[in-house]
Amino acid sequence: MRKAIKILWALSSVGKGHIMRDLAIVDQLRKMADVDIDWLVPDPAGDFLRSRGQKVLEYSDQLAGSGKIYGQVFSESTEEFNLLRYTRADTRLHKHDFNISSTAWQEKKYDVIVGDEAFWLLTGFASRWDKKPAPFIFLTDFIGTKAMRSNLKDQFTAWMNNFRFSFSHRGPDLYLYVGDAEEIPDDNLGFLLPGRKKWAQKHCRFVRPIVGFDPNALQGKHEIRKKLDLPVNQKIFLATIGPEGKYEHRIAIIEQVFEDLRMNYPDAYFVIAGSKSGTKKWIHYYEFLDNLYQYFAASDFVITQSGYGKVTELAALGTPFIAIPLDYHFEQEYVMRHRLDHYGIGRLITIRDHSPNDIAKIAHKMMDKEPTTVEVDTGIEVAKLILNLAENSNGDK
């Protein structure tokens, strides 16, 4: 009888989009083979995975960086959320978290290790802090960091991050970029450092964006609306607002955008999904919408924070959308702008440069455009690569 393939899956606990991406891959793995997956994931992602019946190792609670330090930096940020401040704090904890992780593979033999932006493992294996106990696959959807402000501390942090990053290809046996090479900004990582796109083309294998559903298998918009108890014959505008940054300021802006859109669409149905309710009686507020992609499919227009997961789902569905980044967040602003421009989808808009009326006018114009979709994968492509690497490794032993 063939033994189960044992996988250690490490995940950065920053952003739910990564969790859903990984669960999509895991679902496909379980359809293809007998797999035994141990998750090495700090909270809050750890709690979410446990609620989904996944096996999260107890060592996850000892990890100090990733989501834990992200939450700490976020809670201490009174104005804009500085992502480089997070990377500075997180990098200092890589050695600690790598040592914690090594305890897991010392106690159990794994056939393959997967790291979805688990940068502590990427750094550790690239720096040879320990011998790799199994083939290592690393997934990411951005290349390097970037200082979005001109202050010297951020400029230096970005350069140091990218200097270390330029050697990170030494760590994985398979370096996967989730997306297209042409979406990567074509600038240098820094002074005397390689270009982002050229580095990725040299060291990465590119796979299609991943969602946890098959867009072609979804019901029509009217059927989805009936299922979700939404009005069938009204325009539906949906906004999602993450907890980071100045939440009260951002929800007030979205409410004003909806006020302006209501002038053109007086019979429309308006929904906001966020961590707190607002004050407008005609807006329907929700703290959480399960299977959010179904609400995206049911909507006529969406305004969302420009995180990878939500944007990928909207791109797969062809729902017109505006993506609003946290101010000066290099992933959500700089990287995402290039991604949207490449695929010709959505529109990235910064709150600091646009009034609510500006945003409403742009949304109104976008409503008339023909929908554009992006070809996605449901995790099958990456699942096959993982199994292939695990099986080849076993064959070599």
Side-chain angles (χ1 to χ4, degrees), residues 34-295:
D34 182 11
V35 292
D36 176 15
I37 299 174
D38 292 340
W39 293 85
L40 191 61
V41 187
D43 292 333
D47 280 339
F48 180 81
L49 288 169
R50 290 184 191 96
S51 73
R52 294 293 182 102
Q54 303 294 319
K55 182 169 59 174
V56 179
L57 295 178
E58 60 183 15
Y59 300 113
S60 300
D61 295 332
Q62 300 176 40
L63 298 174
S66 189
K68 287 184 179 177
I69 199 69
Y70 185 89
Q72 179 184 328
V73 172
F74 157 60
S75 65
E76 294 172 355
S77 300
T78 56
E79 297 297 328
E80 67 192 46
F81 180 82
N82 189 333
L83 193 61
L84 284 174
R85 183 182 167 203
Y86 157 69
T87 64
R88 280 194 293 269
D90 184 58
T91 301
R92 288 194 288 266
L93 295 166
H94 280 182
K95 187 68 179 287
H96 172 274
D97 286 357
F98 185 85
N99 289 339
I100 294 296
S101 304
S102 69
T103 308
W105 62 68
Q106 287 168 9
E107 291 189 355
K108 183 174 179 178
K109 187 177 180 181
Y110 292 98
D111 298 300
V112 66
I113 299 173
V114 179
D116 187 343
E117 294 189 3
F119 286 102
W120 72 94
L121 292 184
L122 182 69
T123 300
F125 289 135
S127 302
R128 307 293 193 264
W129 288 342
D130 193 9
K131 182 181 178 181
K132 274 187 293 188
F136 175 49
I137 298 177
F138 185 76
L139 291 85
T140 190
D141 51 61
F142 72 98
I143 300 296
T145 59
K146 185 177 179 65
M148 300 295 290
R149 306 301 292 269
S150 58
N151 71 76
L152 289 177
K153 188 174 185 179
D154 281 2
Q155 295 283 338
F156 180 72
T157 297
W159 190 91
M160 284 299 299
N161 285 345
N162 292 342
F163 173 75
R164 287 188 289 261
F165 177 84
S166 65
F167 297 100
S168 66
H169 61 282
R170 299 174 178 177
D173 297 271
L174 188 57
Y175 205 126
L176 298 181
Y177 182 92
V178 185
D180 192 313
E182 296 305 315
E183 73 183 44
I184 301 171
D186 197 15
D187 64 335
N188 283 346
L189 287 165
F191 179 64
L192 298 178
L193 299 179
R196 290 177 203 274
K197 186 187 294 186
K198 288 182 179 178
W199 188 95
Q201 289 171 323
K202 183 177 180 180
H203 299 296
C204 296
R205 175 162 179 166
F206 296 89
V207 296
R208 283 171 293 173
I210 299 166
V211 295
F213 61 92
D214 181 356
N216 298 317
L218 290 179
Q219 295 175 300
K221 183 171 287 189
H222 282 198
E223 288 73 21
I224 295 174
R225 287 183 174 188
K226 288 178 181 177
K227 176 183 175 183
L228 299 176
D229 198 25
L230 294 170
V232 173
N233 297 314
Q234 294 172 247
K235 294 287 187 185
I236 296 180
F237 292 86
L238 168 64
T240 68
I241 306 173
E244 304 96 337
K246 297 177 284 185
Y247 179 84
E248 287 76 13
H249 174 64
R250 286 185 294 125
I251 193 173
I253 287 174
I254 297 302
E255 287 173 338
Q256 186 57 56
V257 172
F258 278 0
E259 287 268 18
D260 293 343
L261 283 169
R262 199 179 181 203
M263 299 291 288
N264 291 309
Y265 305 97
D267 297 324
Y269 188 86
F270 295 90
V271 179
I272 291 180
S275 59
K276 298 177 185 176
S277 293
T279 58
K280 308 294 183 182
K281 293 183 179 179
W282 48 272
I283 295 178
H284 304 264
Y285 298 93
Y286 297 89
E287 289 189 13
F288 177 75
L289 291 173
D290 197 20
N291 294 322
L292 183 60
Y293 72 89
Q294 294 185 13
Y295 290 86

Side-chain angles (χ1 to χ4, degrees), residues 349-369:
I349 291 176
T350 57
I351 285 179
R352 66 179 182 274
D353 296 323
H354 296 84
S355 69
N357 186 251
D358 292 335
I359 298 172
K361 286 179 179 177
I362 293 168
H364 180 57
K365 288 181 181 178
M366 292 177 68
M367 291 281 287
D368 297 327
K369 287 188 175 181

